[in-house]
Amino acid sequence: MILIPHDMHEWDVDDIKLWLAEVSRDPQVTREEFRLARQAAWRAQGGHPPNDN
C-alpha cells in the first residue's frame, strides 16, 4: 500500500517526479497502486490536491 502525500500539489515538480520514481522502484507496489500514484502526481503537477475528484 502506498501513501499519497496530501500536500503534493504544493511540491516542486522535480520533487513530485522524484517521489513517483521512488514509488515505481518499490517492488511491493502493485500496478494498480502505481496507476493511482501517476494520476495523483499528474493532478498535483497541475496544482490540484492529489485526491481531487
Side-chain angles (χ1 to χ4, degrees):
M1 177 202 257
I2 60 170
L3 296 176
I4 297 174
H6 69 280
D7 64 343
M8 191 187 322
H9 62 289
E10 298 173 0
W11 295 6
D12 292 330
V13 172
D14 290 337
D15 291 333
I16 295 171
K17 290 179 181 180
L18 179 62
W19 174 81
L20 191 58
E22 290 176 9
V23 169
S24 74
R25 288 190 295 266
D26 186 335
Q28 295 182 358
V29 172
T30 66
R31 286 182 184 218
E32 179 65 13
E33 289 173 328
F34 185 64
R35 184 185 67 77
L36 294 172
R38 280 194 334 236
Q39 288 178 347
W42 180 77
R43 284 191 299 270
Q45 288 180 32
H48 303 284
N51 62 349
D52 192 22
N53 292 330

